[in-house]
């Protein structure tokens, strides 16, 4: 993707694994369980609100840090959900998706020689965001099957150069939801080393069974040092609208806004207005309860399919991905497996090695997205029924 005119910073970026696998899925007409996006429509009342905003001529630049109605709705939602008082004027910024918020936060907080602690595997945009800031990632390994980590390894990752902890919970791609104890330990490390946390909590509403999502910012001493990043794309199943946000105290919001105003300046106005409506009405419509119930069903449906297709799944507590063990199938790498599955079986998945600094460290797994209609999961099931024999003979 890059060329000889590319600056050294971007030369190694290549093409995102999500774009690559979606392209391959299209090329082979595969059922796309790779790139994480719902293939079912988002809620009608939110779509209607977007159309109404366009028709009301709310089509010019929004306030750079976000439409006032949306920021007010985000503040109210945080208050209702987590009992926190957030000032919409100085503590909330609307961004073009969580991707932009992460990028802005990293540019705002880290620079040359600084270190950013992340749990590996980590979301694919974290590394390029760090590279663009000339900062370095320090990884702490999450180990399957429960994706726990060694507290000593976490403690050793922090030091005088650490500026940021970039934490994702519920976690993509593992489905881990960090526990209160784990968060408390990380909170202590942040305070000990005077580190700012950037908490990527885009799957906050998608948690399963007994798992509870706890925003890092709600732990004692953490509000003052945390930027929480969210994405209405996940909560309202409109990933293409790219309406994200960052919440945090003014001392962290101000530098983030300083970057945001020169990256996108503002996000699309009618979609911001529609997401204000979404947040204003969701609780009364039982939208979150329904979303959670539907995702339980989707997860259970895909789990039965994968387990039955010789692709045993690991437990999942949050987000909308299942990880399957592929180590017994005879493939050299998860990339080789995912290419084979897409081209030969007709189902696309994501190789989790794309979420590792050194892909060789990745356990042999494949990530499947279950934000899909029942028909899509059935369609995948029909094709995946062919996996056991083909894998044995072909690999
Ligand atoms: N963080 C994580 C962990 C994600 O999984 C995603 C997208 N799936 C994002 C950030 C980016 O969100 P957005 O589409 O709002 O930019
Ligand atoms: N976050 C989505 C995933 O994990 C993909 C988003 C993207 O394509 N940038 O699949």
């Amino acid at each position: 993707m890059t060329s000889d005119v590319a600056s050294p910073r971007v030369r190694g970026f290549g093409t995102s694994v999500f774009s690559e696998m979606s392209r391959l899925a299209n090329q082979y007409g595969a059922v796309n369980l790779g790139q994480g996006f719902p293939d079912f429509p988002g809620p009608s009342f939110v779509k209607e609100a977007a159309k109404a905003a366009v028709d009301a001529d709310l089509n010019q630049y929004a306030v750079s840090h976000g439409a006032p109605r949306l920021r007010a709705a985000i503040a109210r939602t945080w208050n209702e959900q987590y009992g926190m008082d957030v000032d919409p004027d100085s503590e909330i910024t609307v961004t073009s998706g969580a991707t932009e918020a992460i990028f802005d936060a990293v540019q705002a907080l880290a620079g040359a020689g600084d270190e950013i602690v992340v749990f590996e595997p980590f979301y694919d945009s974290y590394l390029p965001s760090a590279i663009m800031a000339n900062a370095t990632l320090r990884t702490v390994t999450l180990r399957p099957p429960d994706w726990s980590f060694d507290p000593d390894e976490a403690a050793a990752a922090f030091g005088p150069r650490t500026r940021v902890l970039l934490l994702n919970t519920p976690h993509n791609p593992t489905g881990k939801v960090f526990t209160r104890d784990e968060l408390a330990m990380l909170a202590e490390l942040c305070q000990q080393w005077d580190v700012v946390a950037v908490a990527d909590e885009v799957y906050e509403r998608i948690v399963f069974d007994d798992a509870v999502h706890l925003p890092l910012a709600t732990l004692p001493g953490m509000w003052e040092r945390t930027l929480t990043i969210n994405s209405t794309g996940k909560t309202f199943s409109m990933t293409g609208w790219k309406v994200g946000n960052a919440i945090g105290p003014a001392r962290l919001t101000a530098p983030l806004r300083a970057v945001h105003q020169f990256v996108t300046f503002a996000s699309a106005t009618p979609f911001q207005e529609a997401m204000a409506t979404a947040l204003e009405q969701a609780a009364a419509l039982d939208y979150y309860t329904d979303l959670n119930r539907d995702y339980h069903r989707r997860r259970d449906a895909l789990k039965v399919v994968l387990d039955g297709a010789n692709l045993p799944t690991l437990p999942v507590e949050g987000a909308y991905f299942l990880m399957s063990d592929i180590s017994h199938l005879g493939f050299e790498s998860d990339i080789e497996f995912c290419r084979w599955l897409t081209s030969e079986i007709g189902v696309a998945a994501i190789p989790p090695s794309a979420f590792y600094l050194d892909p060789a460290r990745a356990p042999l797994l494949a990530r499947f997205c279950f934000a899909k209609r029942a028909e899509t999961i059935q369609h995948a099931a029909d094709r995946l029924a062919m996996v056991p024999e083909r894998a044995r003979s072909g690999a």
Side-chain angles (χ1 to χ4, degrees):
M1 187 179 162
T2 50
S3 70
D4 57 352
V5 295
S7 90
R9 274 190 308 180
V10 309
R11 227 166 257 170
F13 284 2
T15 304
S16 120
V17 68
F18 308 119
S19 309
E20 194 185 330
M21 291 312 300
S22 280
R23 188 191 56 74
L24 214 60
N26 289 334
Q27 183 183 333
Y28 288 100
V31 181
N32 193 354
L33 304 185
Q35 189 176 26
F37 62 89
D39 75 342
F40 46 86
S44 304
F45 78 99
V46 184
K47 292 198 284 192
E48 290 308 319
K51 293 180 213 169
V54 170
D55 285 341
D57 282 320
L58 296 169
N59 298 314
Q60 307 307 329
Y61 296 127
V63 174
S64 173
H65 52 270
R69 228 185 104 217
L70 177 55
R71 281 182 287 112
I74 292 168
R76 233 177 356 257
T77 305
W78 255 59
N79 182 271
E80 285 161 12
Q81 206 181 340
Y82 304 122
M84 309 258 307
D85 284 325
V86 180
D87 175 18
D89 290 329
S90 62
E91 298 179 328
I92 296 176
T93 308
V94 177
T95 57
S96 294
T99 310
E100 196 227 331
I102 293 161
F103 182 83
D104 294 350
V106 170
Q107 310 316 304
L109 301 169
D114 293 338
E115 292 185 356
I116 299 173
V117 173
V118 293
F119 285 89
E120 189 179 52
F122 53 82
Y123 185 60
D124 80 326
S125 81
Y126 295 179
L127 180 60
S129 295
I131 291 173
M132 292 295 280
N134 280 317
T136 311
L137 294 189
R138 280 291 300 262
T139 58
V140 180
T141 311
L142 296 174
R143 294 175 203 285
D146 61 352
W147 303 105
S148 56
F149 62 91
D150 175 0
D152 292 337
E153 190 188 340
F158 283 76
R161 287 171 179 266
T162 315
R163 293 297 304 274
V164 173
L165 164 69
L166 182 40
L167 178 78
N168 173 215
T169 184
H171 187 263
N172 175 8
T174 67
K176 176 186 175 69
V177 175
F178 282 72
T179 64
R180 181 182 289 275
D181 285 351
E182 289 170 333
L183 294 175
M185 180 219 265
L186 296 171
E188 208 176 298
L189 285 168
C190 286
Q191 289 170 57
Q192 181 187 337
W193 292 101
D194 194 17
V195 161
V196 170
V198 176
D200 174 351
E201 302 184 359
V202 298
Y203 299 103
E204 64 168 349
R205 298 279 183 181
I206 307 174
V207 288
F208 301 106
D209 310 318
D210 298 329
V212 176
H213 167 65
L214 205 63
L216 184 60
T218 61
L219 270 78
M222 287 309 286
W223 166 257
E224 275 312 306
R225 58 177 67 250
T226 305
L227 274 174
T228 304
I229 286 170
N230 224 309
S231 175
T232 59
K234 313 289 171 197
T235 305
F236 293 100
S237 309
M238 308 279 198
T239 58
W241 287 15
K242 300 293 291 185
V243 181
N245 60 73
I247 302 174
R251 79 172 182 111
L252 302 180
T253 291
L256 175 120
R257 285 182 181 177
V259 179
H260 163 74
Q261 66 185 336
F262 297 121
V263 173
T264 55
F265 183 74
S267 301
T269 305
F271 295 137
Q272 292 197 50
E273 293 294 330
M275 283 306 176
T277 303
L279 290 169
E280 283 162 6
Q281 297 186 11
L285 294 171
D286 278 338
Y287 173 78
Y288 301 124
T289 317
D290 293 350
L291 180 85
N292 202 272
R293 183 205 55 217
D294 288 351
Y295 269 121
H296 271 85
R297 279 200 202 124
R298 297 180 206 282
R299 177 201 59 171
D300 294 347
L302 186 62
K303 179 179 160 44
V304 168
V305 168
L306 293 169
D307 288 344
N310 199 15
L311 295 167
T313 54
L314 275 57
V316 56
E317 300 170 320
Y320 47 49
F321 308 104
L322 275 160
M323 294 276 257
S324 281
D325 186 355
I326 57 163
S327 60
H328 54 298
L329 295 176
F331 289 88
E332 286 284 304
S333 72
D334 56 0
I335 297 176
E336 193 196 335
F337 170 79
C338 289
R339 289 213 175 110
W340 170 82
L341 196 74
T342 308
S343 59
E344 299 297 315
I345 300 291
V347 176
I350 293 290
S353 58
F355 295 66
Y356 285 76
L357 267 188
D358 174 4
R361 278 209 294 261
L364 276 175
L365 300 166
R367 192 198 80 173
F368 294 87
C369 175
F370 56 82
K372 303 295 166 192
R373 290 171 294 154
E375 306 89 274
T376 308
I377 293 176
Q378 184 53 49
H379 197 181
D382 297 342
R383 294 177 173 203
L384 288 169
M386 294 188 291
V387 165
E389 297 126 70
R390 291 272 195 105
R392 275 192 214 108
S393 58

